[in-house]
Amino acid sequence: MKTYQFKDKDDWMEARLGKVTGTRLKDIIEKRGGARKIGFYEIIAERVAVPADNENVMDRGKRLEEFAIERFEKETKKKVNKDLVIWCRDDNEDIAISPDGFIGKKEAVEVKCLSSARHLEAYLTKKLPSEYEEQALQYFIVNDDLKTLYFCFFDPRMPMDFFYLEIKRADVAEKVVEYLELEKRVLEEIKQIQKELTF
């Protein structure tokens, strides 16, 4: 075993980057047949990405969104409308989505500027992170005309800083129907409780 000594916490913290430490082991080891855990992607990101600063995650996402859409436009040759809008269902205005961008009624753009580890996870797996599945479905739930959602990922700290996943209605159609019905039921229940509480 080797022992390294440090004079201050910053040097100590920097030396831990890109390594499997005791606190990180649980985020690395997969159970039999399980998917990679986030620690796997964090270690790769620590080795290849420019270190993150202390900018608020939401502020960072908003700041970088326009650059991501510009990259999408450049790579796809599609002109994206970036107007600040909310789409609502024709038959129920309580079912809504705020698109980051759209191309007519048939195509929409959603942008995520995630941590480098999450960005890398989506890039390597070519899958939408599970925490954004419902958000992607909501685009199709709200807009019956939508055919394609371009889910864009942008992290200028990474060597592969921009990519997007194409989500087609045909691939999520069953879930869209299922979630629309669930959403309607939940909203009806909310309306009933609201009515009872406000007489």
Side-chain angles (χ1 to χ4, degrees):
M1 179 187 79
K2 296 177 183 175
T3 300
Y4 297 94
Q5 192 164 355
F6 301 90
K7 291 185 175 141
D8 63 44
K9 190 173 180 179
D10 290 340
D11 287 345
W12 176 77
M13 289 293 286
E14 189 175 326
R16 294 167 50 95
L17 294 175
K19 292 180 175 40
V20 178
T21 59
T23 54
R24 185 177 254 174
L25 183 60
K26 70 180 177 3
D27 295 327
I28 298 290
I29 301 300
E30 304 134 25
K31 303 297 184 221
R32 219 175 280 144
R36 294 268 188 217
K37 291 185 171 183
I38 192 61
F40 174 81
Y41 302 104
E42 286 172 347
I43 287 176
I44 298 169
E46 287 170 1
R47 292 178 180 191
V48 302
V50 173
D53 57 23
N54 292 330
E55 185 177 16
N56 174 285
V57 174
M58 291 293 284
D59 292 342
R60 179 177 174 273
K62 275 294 177 204
R63 179 177 60 81
L64 294 175
E65 187 176 290
E66 68 180 277
F67 299 110
I69 291 176
E70 284 174 16
R71 283 288 293 281
F72 175 81
E73 288 178 320
K74 185 178 176 184
E75 290 192 16
T76 63
K77 307 293 185 244
K78 293 177 181 282
K79 179 68 180 138
V80 177
N81 185 324
K82 298 174 282 290
D83 290 347
L84 201 56
V85 301
I86 294 176
W87 288 349
C88 299
R89 274 194 66 79
D90 290 333
D91 60 355
N92 189 332
E93 290 202 7
D94 289 332
I95 299 174
I97 190 87
S98 299
D100 291 338
F102 53 97
I103 305 140
K105 289 185 176 182
K106 295 183 188 270
E107 297 176 297
V109 175
E110 177 64 28
V111 174
K112 293 296 175 206
C113 302
L114 308 175
S115 72
S116 293
R118 290 290 182 197
H119 179 88
L120 189 59
E121 177 184 25
Y123 176 77
L124 291 174
T125 63
K126 302 294 184 248
K127 289 182 182 173
L128 195 61
S130 60
E131 63 264 33
Y132 300 114
E133 287 175 6
E134 287 84 2
Q135 183 180 18
L137 288 173
Q138 188 73 348
Y139 274 89
F140 295 99
I141 290 167
V142 171
N143 180 353
D144 290 331
D145 296 321
L146 188 69
K147 300 291 180 220
T148 306
L149 172 63
Y150 301 98
F151 217 96
C152 301
F153 297 87
F154 183 59
D155 183 356
R157 301 169 299 203
M158 294 294 291
M160 76 314 267
D161 61 344
F162 176 81
F163 67 97
Y164 62 91
L165 301 175
E166 249 180 80
I167 302 166
K168 301 277 190 191
R169 176 177 290 279
D171 297 331
V172 295
E174 285 182 32
K175 274 193 172 180
V176 168
V177 171
E178 176 189 347
Y179 276 64
L180 173 58
E181 289 310 308
L182 289 170
E183 215 168 323
K184 285 179 178 178
R185 279 201 299 267
V186 168
L187 284 167
E188 197 52 48
E189 186 179 348
I190 288 169
K191 199 180 288 183
Q192 281 299 83
I193 293 169
Q194 177 188 1
K195 193 175 178 182
E196 291 168 15
L197 293 174
T198 57
F199 311 126

